[in-house]
Amino acid sequence: MKSITSADLVTFVVDSREEAEHALAAEIASVVRAKPNAVLGLATGNTPIGLYRELIRKCATRELSFAHATTFNLDEFLGLERGHPESFHRWMDQNLFGHVDLPRERAHLPEANSGDAGADDDAVRYEAAIRDAGGVDLQILGIGRNGHIGFNEPGSPRDSRTRVVELHEVTRADAARSFGGLEFVPKRAITMGVATICSARRLRVLAFGAHKAAIVRRTLLDAVNSDCPSTFLRGHVDVKLFLDREAAREL
Ligand code: F6R
């Protein structure tokens, strides 16, 4: 693992995704061992799948237990039934929750199906629930090709909290294939805000593949600006970015 020295974002370039996944899974295990009731922030998408596989393996071999942990996911599409094949509720069940000993009542995702009238209140309640749980100890993040973190799309303010957002066209286009067409991709979502995310005590960011190279460069080198919300990660007191060689190729 090679590290790139930068004033405000510790960056590691790894030889393989597995190297980053193993390192981060080991860190998560040590956080949870030191504090069994740790609060973890979770992401969905292609990026964390291998990490979750490694966490599942550690649980199976009893190197790790989530029995006393709590989790909060970053986001959820608005208007999908929980069982919808593309809902993040279902994705988390399939890729992590269904395979580890985390009690379901402590695995939180934003409520996404209480109708237009209730969504703003749900967002406020989600933010309060994170605060009441003592805040997030370690947040896992991916980066969207447009620089989003969670669903904080370009233009999201630095001081934003959990709220209802309109999804950006790039985000919807990236989701179109799995939804079976752009017309089936929801237009709105609930997401933790930029400030919510940056309140986590540790941020661990993963970016893999050549399709992330341009946004990785912007994340590290653009002026810190809401046009590229991932630039807001810079300057957090404890943030680490793990890249494979393809994602690092424009640095
Ligand atoms: C997922 C999330 C998003 C993704 C990002 C990258 O819960 O909040 O910000 O992390 O869109 O997605 P992948 O990993 O599919 O490239």
Side-chain angles (χ1 to χ4, degrees):
M1 202 180 298
K2 252 203 311 244
S3 79
I4 297 177
T5 310
S6 137
D8 46 16
L9 215 165
V10 178
T11 303
F12 300 98
V13 181
V14 292
D15 291 328
S16 67
R17 289 177 66 136
E18 290 75 24
E19 192 182 345
E21 290 158 1
H22 284 211
L24 187 46
E27 180 176 10
I28 291 169
S30 86
V31 165
V32 175
R33 238 175 266 128
K35 182 181 176 188
N37 63 347
V39 179
L40 301 173
L42 302 179
T44 55
N46 291 318
T47 306
I49 284 191
L51 169 67
Y52 294 158
R53 226 178 278 133
E54 179 61 10
L55 293 176
I56 291 166
R57 193 196 61 75
K58 281 187 182 302
C59 280
T61 55
R62 301 191 188 271
E63 286 168 70
L64 171 63
S65 167
F66 290 117
H68 302 285
T70 296
T71 65
F72 287 92
N73 266 75
L74 286 164
D75 41 20
E76 177 59 289
F77 292 109
L78 217 55
L80 297 188
E81 299 288 341
R82 278 177 181 222
H84 186 288
E86 294 308 319
S87 84
F88 290 164
H89 279 82
R90 164 123 172 211
W91 193 95
M92 288 305 301
D93 282 344
Q94 288 180 331
N95 290 289
L96 186 65
F97 300 152
H99 311 282
V100 295
D101 60 350
L102 175 72
R104 284 302 171 93
E105 66 277 12
R106 289 208 301 274
H108 304 279
L109 286 95
E111 186 54 58
N113 202 27
S114 61
D116 276 358
D120 290 329
D121 291 345
D122 287 337
V124 170
R125 266 198 293 275
Y126 198 69
E127 181 79 29
I130 296 171
R131 204 176 40 241
D132 293 348
V136 171
D137 291 301
L138 186 151
Q139 175 70 54
I140 298 159
L141 288 169
I143 308 176
R145 286 192 305 130
N146 57 7
H148 74 203
I149 48 172
F151 277 144
N152 292 284
E153 304 287 29
S156 295
R158 178 174 225 159
D159 61 358
S160 52
R161 293 282 169 182
T162 306
R163 69 203 185 288
V164 175
V165 292
E166 302 282 330
L167 293 173
H168 189 257
E169 60 200 85
V170 170
T171 302
R172 294 189 65 241
D174 280 352
R177 197 186 326 168
S178 44
F179 273 88
L182 188 61
E183 66 272 33
F184 303 114
V185 181
K187 295 200 164 71
R188 300 192 305 152
I190 295 186
T191 183
M192 284 188 199
V194 174
T196 320
I197 291 170
C198 290
S199 303
R201 286 179 270 280
R202 301 184 196 199
L203 298 177
R204 298 294 180 257
V205 192
L206 300 169
F208 302 131
H211 64 300
K212 295 292 172 79
I215 196 58
V216 163
R217 176 179 40 75
R218 292 187 59 200
T219 300
L220 289 170
L221 301 175
D222 270 15
V224 174
N225 192 288
S226 66
D227 289 346
C228 183
S230 53
T231 58
F232 289 132
L233 300 173
R234 283 158 42 197
H236 184 278
V237 291
D238 188 352
V239 56
K240 288 182 183 163
L241 173 60
F242 295 89
L243 307 173
D244 65 4
R245 287 200 192 138
E246 289 75 24
R249 75 180 184 188
E250 292 192 22
L251 299 179

